[in-house]
Amino acid sequence: MSEAAPPGPPEPPAPEEAPTPEPAAAPAPAAQSSGGSGALGQRRGPWFVALIGIVTLGIYWIYWYYKTGEEVKRYSGEGLGGILWLVIALVIGIVMWFVTPSEVGNLYGREGQEKPVSGKTGFWMLLPLVGYFVWTIKVQGALNRFWESKGAAA
């Protein structure tokens, strides 16, 4: 019969390695004047937006609300975003007359600039037809100027 080898002396404990120092946390980025760092939005001709919105009987506005809401949210990281813009526009569209210029104005506000449009801009839509054009030109024009100021192609 074979006998099991007697247990030898216990192995010495492995030398404890000196703990490696945690890398220093990267310093917090300096406060930026820009609240946004996302991709820039697309410039759209204000007259084109107004006219194509009429020609398509409002179908273009479904696309516009979604895309514009997504661009604002992607750039700033704040706001409702395209899905909510679209849902609100489809369910209670009149609310978007006020929300849209408010969010566009907030893009400027976060940069410390004067807001060219605000929720009050929505009251233009109460004027039949003329108000529609004024609102669209003011809101899309403000968006275009904002994107251009951030380097979007003119």
Side-chain angles (χ1 to χ4, degrees):
M1 291 187 81
S2 68
E3 286 185 29
E11 290 189 29
E16 287 189 32
E17 294 181 22
T20 56
E22 293 287 325
Q32 301 174 356
S33 66
S34 166
S37 58
L40 298 177
Q42 177 183 349
R43 293 184 64 255
R44 296 174 181 86
W47 283 101
F48 171 80
V49 171
L51 293 174
I52 199 75
I54 290 172
V55 169
T56 63
L57 303 176
I59 293 172
Y60 178 77
W61 283 103
I62 293 170
Y63 165 81
W64 186 90
Y65 277 121
Y66 174 76
K67 287 300 285 184
T68 303
E70 278 300 301
E71 291 167 355
V72 169
K73 175 86 174 192
R74 186 178 63 230
Y75 176 79
S76 68
E78 297 180 22
L80 299 175
I83 296 292
L84 283 177
W85 275 37
L86 180 58
V87 169
I88 294 169
L90 292 173
V91 176
I92 43 177
I94 194 170
V95 170
M96 290 309 292
W97 296 353
F98 303 92
V99 170
T100 302
S102 176
E103 286 212 14
V104 171
N106 288 341
L107 283 174
Y108 283 87
R110 286 185 207 102
E111 302 285 326
Q113 301 173 25
E114 184 177 340
K115 297 178 180 183
V117 290
S118 68
K120 295 177 194 173
T121 306
F123 287 109
W124 278 104
M125 291 291 267
L126 299 176
L127 291 174
L129 198 56
V130 171
Y132 165 81
F133 282 99
V134 169
W135 184 92
T136 303
I137 291 166
K138 284 175 118 1
V139 172
Q140 186 62 58
L143 268 171
N144 288 347
R145 287 187 302 279
F146 184 81
W147 299 137
E148 287 171 7
S149 76
K150 300 301 167 196

